[in-house]
Amino acid sequence: MEATNILPILKKRLAFLSGGKDRRSGLILTIPLCTEQTSMEELSSTLDYLLDIPSDKCKARGFTVIVDGRKSQWNIVKTVVLMLQNVIPAEVSLVCVVKPDEFWDKKVTHFCFWKEKDRLGFEVILVSANKLTRYIEPCQLTDEFGGSLVYDHIDWVNKRLVFEKFTKESTSLLDELVVINDSEKSSQLDKERPPDCNFLPSLDPETVLQTGHELLSELQQRRFNGAEGGGVAWSPMDDELLAQPQVMKLLDSLREQYTKYQEVCRQRSKRSQLEDIQTKVMQVVNWLEGPGTEQLRTQWGIGDSIRASQALQQKHEEIESQHSEWFAVYVELNQQIAALLSSGDEEDLVELKGLQQQLSDVCYRQASQLESRQNVLQSAHEFHGTAQDLSQQLDGLLGMLCADVAPADGAAIQQTLKHLEEKLKSVEGALVGLREKGQVLMDQMSNQTSWSYGKDVPIENKDNVDHIQGVMEDMQLRKQRCEDMVDVRRLKMLQMVQLFKCEEDASQAVEWLGELLDALLKTHIRLGDDSQETKVLLEKHKKFVDVAQSTYDYGRQLLQATVVLCQSLRCSTRSSGDTLPRLNRVWKQFTVTTEERVHRLEMACSFHTAAEKVLVQASPDLGDLPVEVEQETYEEVETVGKALLDRLTVPVIFPDGSEQYFGSPGDMASSAEHIRDKMKLVEDRKLTLHEEDEEEEDIEQLQYEQIHDQDEELQDDEELQDDQELHDEELQEVDNELQDGEELELENETDT
């Protein structure tokens, strides 16, 4: 009986083997009665199924049946007990009827079971749930009887289903594998009879083995946990119920037959692979030596342009694509042969090695020719590409050389010349690369061979070689012509650089003259505080004029060189332009300005010289008597000073009519003020000398009057003497002394 047949009845839990044992190691069978009416037929089916699980050894130890009547009536309990006599009379050792606490008459129940004891063949006792431990250990009772044994009926049913399914599938699979293995063994003995390769097992051996291992692992885990006293209790499917040994036995048998079946399958696969390999090897060899070789034999050109070489490459790629499919088959076959060689029998090794060698020789030879052809086409594409690039570079260089040169300045010419040199250098590098690629291409073509009738046949490539050499010679001639034109253009450009340099330097000379003119007008404004300083300024001015003169001469020489270069370059459109007029105009302005500067310095020198002559000669500070200054000197100072002051107010008038003043108005006012101060100093000195002369005249007049008065007194005295001859001698002596004094004064006046 299988669990699947009575699965709904089993799920009702009418009876179960919890895995617990009595003190005699007999299994405990529990029949939990409920308030609802229990079907005796279903209970009988359940008991038949459960009692069929244990082994004969377990059954010999007897069962202890626990009839839980706490929720049922006595009549049902009695019926169940009597039914046990019919179902398992010999296996039952003890029936424990768990009674309710408040029902059933003890005398009646006890009397009835006691009266039927001999007929039943087993002992029946009535016991309350709390006293059940007198007969059975608590650890062997489930929790509904106050024990600690854990039992999950649904889990037990599911595990039982798995066990029975595995048992059924593994038994069926074993039978099929035995038949397959025996059939293969018979076919090996009788080699003329082909094996039945279509006979396969109905179940997947791997899946069945996996199910068995999982089941065995679960059984062993439950047993281990039970032995450790863990939460999972003993199961009725442990080794006591023959579940684990039976599973292990089935797994061992299944593994043994499956190993043999795998060997059978391997032998079948090897034979099939060998036949398939032989067929495919011949297909590959026949195609490569036939259509494949014919395709390569008709393709040996390299084209005459990059477009033609690209077309040939595209055609070759199509050929390679067809070969790649067969090469993929070769790789797969080679792997299969290698696998068979590593695990094949001695009788197959020679044949496999022969097939492998034949296939490898043909494929490698064809691949070598494909690679050689691909290298030639790649080199031809690079050669034509380099030739095309070189031709374009030569065309661009020739276009530059044929175009008129009209740069804006020397920097543009230098840039153009640099660009021209770079292009020429690039052309030289490209030509060298073209020669290298051409030589590589010719070397590759000289090594090309064709496989024909089992031997290599050289290929004639004279036309291709002539084409390559012709292209290289043509490029060499074009490059030489461009080099000659570059030399001429380089010389012309260098002359133009020199022309622009002369024009630039001439313009710079004009700017320098302009700066010198500005410096002359704005900073050369001092006239000196004395004649010595003025002379120094004159010397410096002469040196300044010499610098300007050399700058002007340098500009003139540059402009003359410009004219000569223009004539050499036949550049009639270029000339000195406005540089020469500007140079002449600035130089004329500078000449007028420097003449005015020289004239002012000379006037200032004359003025300071005359003023110093006046101030030095008329100064009494020298310790000597003042020297009389001529009137012309005073007039010269006044005339030159006024002329210089007037000159300072007059601007410099250039030849074009424009005017320009020296320095700022403040600078001119300062110079004029200094001249006026010096003129005033000279005037003051003149007035001082005039006043001194007048004082001397007054002193002389006074002395003259004093002398005249004394003369008159002497005349009066003489008259008195004449009139008074009687004066005494003392008056005469006084008169004599007075006369002597007068004579002395007259001598002093005469000396003065």
Side-chain angles (χ1 to χ4, degrees):
M1 183 182 296
E2 296 181 358
T4 53
N5 298 331
I6 59 170
L7 183 59
I9 299 176
L10 288 177
K11 289 184 177 180
K12 292 181 179 181
R13 199 169 176 263
L14 299 177
F16 60 88
L17 290 169
S18 64
K21 297 179 181 179
D22 57 18
R23 293 174 180 173
R24 296 176 295 101
S25 296
L27 295 177
I28 297 175
L29 175 64
T30 304
I31 302 175
L33 299 177
C34 56
T35 55
E36 299 178 357
Q37 186 67 31
T38 301
S39 173
M40 294 297 110
E41 184 179 356
E42 293 180 352
L43 179 59
S44 176
S45 299
T46 301
L47 292 174
D48 291 340
Y49 176 76
L50 293 176
L51 294 175
D52 190 47
I53 295 175
S55 62
D56 294 338
K57 184 178 179 180
C58 292
K59 293 178 182 180
R61 288 195 290 267
F63 289 90
T64 295
V65 181
I66 299 176
V67 180
D68 188 2
R70 289 175 294 179
K71 297 180 181 180
S72 181
Q73 299 177 2
W74 165 249
N75 294 331
I76 298 176
V77 172
K78 182 179 179 181
T79 303
V80 171
V81 173
L82 293 175
M83 185 182 65
L84 291 174
Q85 180 189 16
N86 299 325
V87 177
I88 49 172
E91 289 83 358
V92 177
S93 299
L94 176 64
V95 176
C96 296
V97 178
V98 181
K99 63 180 180 177
D101 296 334
E102 299 177 356
F103 296 95
W104 303 350
D105 190 310
K106 294 183 179 180
K107 294 181 179 181
V108 173
T109 56
H110 184 270
F111 174 78
C112 292
F113 285 119
W114 174 80
K115 185 172 63 175
E116 299 292 335
K117 179 179 180 181
D118 295 336
R119 186 172 63 86
L120 292 174
F122 50 79
E123 183 181 1
V124 180
I125 62 174
L126 295 175
V127 63
S128 59
N130 55 1
K131 294 181 180 181
L132 192 59
T133 55
R134 294 178 181 179
Y135 307 95
I136 302 172
E137 296 295 332
C139 63
Q140 302 297 324
L141 294 174
T142 58
D143 57 350
E144 55 192 326
F145 302 114
S148 59
L149 182 64
V150 178
Y151 172 75
D152 186 349
H153 185 69
I154 299 300
D155 180 65
W156 178 87
V157 172
N158 292 333
K159 291 295 187 297
R160 188 64 190 176
L161 291 173
V162 173
F163 170 74
E164 291 182 356
K165 179 182 178 182
F166 168 72
T167 304
K168 181 179 179 180
E169 290 180 351
S170 59
T171 303
S172 175
L173 181 60
L174 277 173
D175 295 338
E176 293 177 357
L177 291 178
V178 169
V179 173
I180 294 174
N181 294 336
D182 292 342
S183 175
E184 182 66 21
K185 186 176 181 181
S186 300
S187 64
Q188 289 180 355
L189 295 176
D190 187 5
K191 295 185 177 181
E192 294 181 358
R193 182 172 64 89
D196 188 5
C197 299
N198 296 325
F199 185 33
L200 298 175
S202 59
L203 297 174
D204 181 18
E206 294 287 347
T207 304
V208 177
L209 285 172
Q210 180 67 23
T211 303
H213 285 300
E214 292 176 355
L215 178 60
L216 181 61
S217 176
E218 178 67 21
L219 293 175
Q220 292 174 344
Q221 184 68 21
R222 290 167 65 87
R223 176 180 174 85
F224 175 76
N225 290 340
E228 294 291 332
V232 180
W234 286 85
S235 169
M237 290 178 61
D238 61 10
D239 64 342
E240 292 292 334
L241 303 182
L242 291 182
Q244 184 174 334
Q246 188 175 355
V247 171
M248 293 177 63
K249 182 179 179 181
L250 287 173
L251 285 175
D252 292 341
S253 300
L254 189 59
R255 278 195 292 266
E256 180 183 0
Q257 293 299 324
Y258 181 54
T259 301
K260 295 180 179 179
Y261 173 72
Q262 286 179 323
E263 180 64 22
V264 169
C265 292
R266 191 182 67 80
Q267 293 295 333
R268 289 180 180 177
S269 176
K270 186 178 70 172
R271 287 195 300 270
S272 177
Q273 284 182 350
L274 186 58
E275 294 173 357
D276 186 54
I277 285 172
Q278 290 175 344
T279 303
K280 290 182 178 179
V281 165
M282 295 312 300
Q283 290 177 352
V284 173
V285 170
N286 292 334
W287 190 89
L288 291 179
E289 291 185 343
T293 303
E294 186 63 26
Q295 287 179 351
L296 287 176
R297 188 178 293 115
T298 58
Q299 297 290 325
W300 296 114
I302 62 171
D304 56 357
S305 64
I306 188 171
R307 181 175 298 178
S309 64
Q310 287 176 346
L312 290 174
Q313 278 187 321
Q314 185 176 1
K315 178 63 177 177
H316 184 72
E317 288 175 357
E318 295 176 359
I319 296 175
E320 281 187 334
S321 178
Q322 296 178 12
H323 279 75
S324 298
E325 298 177 359
W326 292 99
F327 288 153
V329 176
Y330 157 71
V331 173
E332 182 180 356
L333 290 174
N334 198 31
Q335 293 175 351
Q336 294 176 1
I337 293 174
L340 291 175
L341 286 174
S342 62
S343 61
D345 299 331
E346 291 294 333
E347 59 184 11
D348 299 332
L349 292 180
V350 177
E351 183 179 0
L352 287 172
K353 288 182 178 180
L355 290 173
Q356 187 181 40
Q357 187 64 38
Q358 181 184 9
L359 183 62
S360 298
D361 291 343
V362 174
C363 289
Y364 278 120
R365 183 174 60 249
Q366 199 73 2
S368 176
Q369 293 185 4
L370 282 172
E371 183 180 4
S372 176
R373 175 60 177 168
Q374 175 63 32
N375 293 336
V376 169
L377 290 177
Q378 182 65 32
S379 299
H381 183 269
E382 294 177 357
F383 175 78
H384 290 306
T386 305
Q388 181 175 332
D389 293 340
L390 178 58
S391 178
Q392 292 176 355
Q393 292 182 22
L394 289 171
D395 291 341
L397 181 59
L398 184 62
M400 288 183 60
L401 295 172
C402 293
D404 293 334
V405 181
D409 51 22
I413 293 178
Q414 292 285 5
Q415 186 66 27
T416 304
L417 186 59
K418 181 180 179 182
H419 185 53
L420 194 63
E421 296 288 349
E422 290 176 352
K423 275 190 168 295
L424 182 59
K425 186 176 181 181
S426 177
V427 167
E428 292 176 352
L431 183 59
V432 172
L434 182 67
R435 292 197 189 100
E436 293 176 353
K437 289 181 172 56
Q439 187 61 44
V440 170
L441 179 56
M442 288 188 292
D443 293 341
Q444 290 177 346
M445 288 189 301
S446 64
N447 296 327
Q448 276 187 313
T449 58
S450 175
W451 182 259
S452 178
Y453 301 104
K455 61 180 180 178
D456 291 331
V457 179
I459 299 174
E460 294 295 333
N461 290 298
K462 184 177 183 304
D463 294 339
N464 294 332
V465 173
D466 293 342
H467 171 71
I468 295 170
Q469 292 177 347
V471 170
M472 292 191 295
E473 292 174 358
D474 179 62
M475 293 299 173
Q476 177 63 35
L477 292 175
R478 291 179 61 186
K479 182 251 183 184
Q480 186 62 44
R481 288 195 297 269
C482 287
E483 280 185 345
D484 297 340
M485 296 179 69
V486 166
D487 292 338
V488 176
R489 177 57 59 90
R490 184 186 297 110
L491 178 60
K492 184 176 182 180
M493 285 188 170
L494 290 176
Q495 289 180 342
M496 294 191 71
V497 170
Q498 188 176 3
L499 172 62
F500 280 112
K501 182 63 177 176
C502 291
E503 292 178 348
E504 182 180 353
D505 292 346
S507 299
Q508 185 64 46
V510 174
E511 293 180 2
W512 287 345
L513 276 178
E515 292 174 358
L516 292 175
L517 177 60
D518 291 339
L520 179 61
L521 289 170
K522 294 179 180 179
T523 60
H524 294 210
I525 55 177
R526 285 183 51 79
L527 299 176
D529 295 336
D530 52 32
S531 60
Q532 188 65 28
E533 184 179 358
T534 304
K535 291 177 181 179
V536 172
L537 291 175
L538 274 170
E539 290 298 326
K540 290 182 178 180
H541 181 71
K542 289 180 180 179
K543 294 179 180 180
F544 183 77
V545 172
D546 292 339
V547 172
Q549 181 67 48
S550 62
T551 303
Y552 172 72
D553 294 340
Y554 176 65
R556 292 282 298 183
Q557 292 173 2
L558 291 173
L559 291 175
Q560 291 175 0
T562 301
V563 174
V564 174
L565 288 172
C566 287
Q567 293 175 354
S568 176
L569 293 171
R570 298 177 182 178
C571 184
S572 59
T573 57
R574 296 191 61 86
S575 63
S576 59
D578 61 342
T579 306
L580 181 59
R582 288 194 301 115
L583 179 65
N584 292 331
R585 182 173 63 254
V586 175
W587 178 246
K588 289 179 181 179
Q589 292 176 350
F590 183 85
T591 302
V592 173
T593 305
T594 190
E595 290 175 354
E596 178 64 21
R597 173 66 175 169
V598 170
H599 189 65
R600 291 187 182 189
L601 287 174
E602 290 176 349
M603 290 180 66
C605 185
S606 300
F607 171 75
H608 287 304
T609 301
E612 290 172 359
K613 182 177 180 181
V614 172
L615 294 175
V616 172
Q617 292 180 355
S619 176
D621 297 334
L622 300 177
D624 298 332
L625 293 177
V627 179
E628 184 177 358
V629 180
E630 297 180 357
Q631 182 64 28
E632 290 80 2
T633 304
Y634 291 109
E635 293 177 356
E636 182 182 358
V637 171
E638 183 176 1
T639 302
V640 175
K642 288 182 180 181
L644 184 56
L645 290 175
D646 293 338
R647 198 82 179 185
L648 292 177
T649 59
V650 176
V652 179
I653 301 175
F654 296 138
D656 58 357
S658 60
E659 298 178 353
Q660 184 69 40
Y661 288 91
F662 278 96
S664 62
D667 296 333
M668 292 296 99
S670 177
S671 299
E673 185 66 23
H674 178 70
I675 295 172
R676 292 190 187 97
D677 291 342
K678 203 158 192 177
M679 290 176 65
K680 184 178 180 182
L681 185 61
V682 172
E683 184 66 24
D684 291 342
R685 178 63 61 187
K686 179 181 178 182
L687 292 176
T688 301
L689 292 175
H690 182 68
E691 290 177 355
E692 290 178 355
D693 292 340
E694 289 181 352
E695 289 180 356
E696 290 178 356
E697 290 177 357
D698 292 340
I699 293 171
E700 291 177 356
Q701 183 66 30
L702 180 61
Q703 291 177 352
Y704 176 77
E705 289 178 355
Q706 289 177 354
I707 294 171
H708 182 69
D709 291 340
Q710 290 177 359
D711 290 339
E712 287 180 353
E713 290 178 358
L714 287 175
Q715 290 177 0
D716 291 340
D717 289 338
E718 289 177 355
E719 289 178 359
L720 288 175
Q721 287 177 0
D722 290 338
D723 292 337
Q724 295 179 2
E725 294 176 351
L726 298 178
H727 283 195
D728 54 15
E729 292 176 358
E730 291 178 355
L731 179 61
Q732 184 65 38
E733 292 177 359
V734 170
D735 291 333
N736 292 333
E737 292 177 359
L738 178 62
Q739 187 175 1
D740 293 334
E742 288 177 355
E743 290 176 357
L744 181 60
E745 289 179 357
L746 288 174
E747 289 177 359
N748 291 333
E749 288 177 357
T750 303
D751 294 334
T752 302

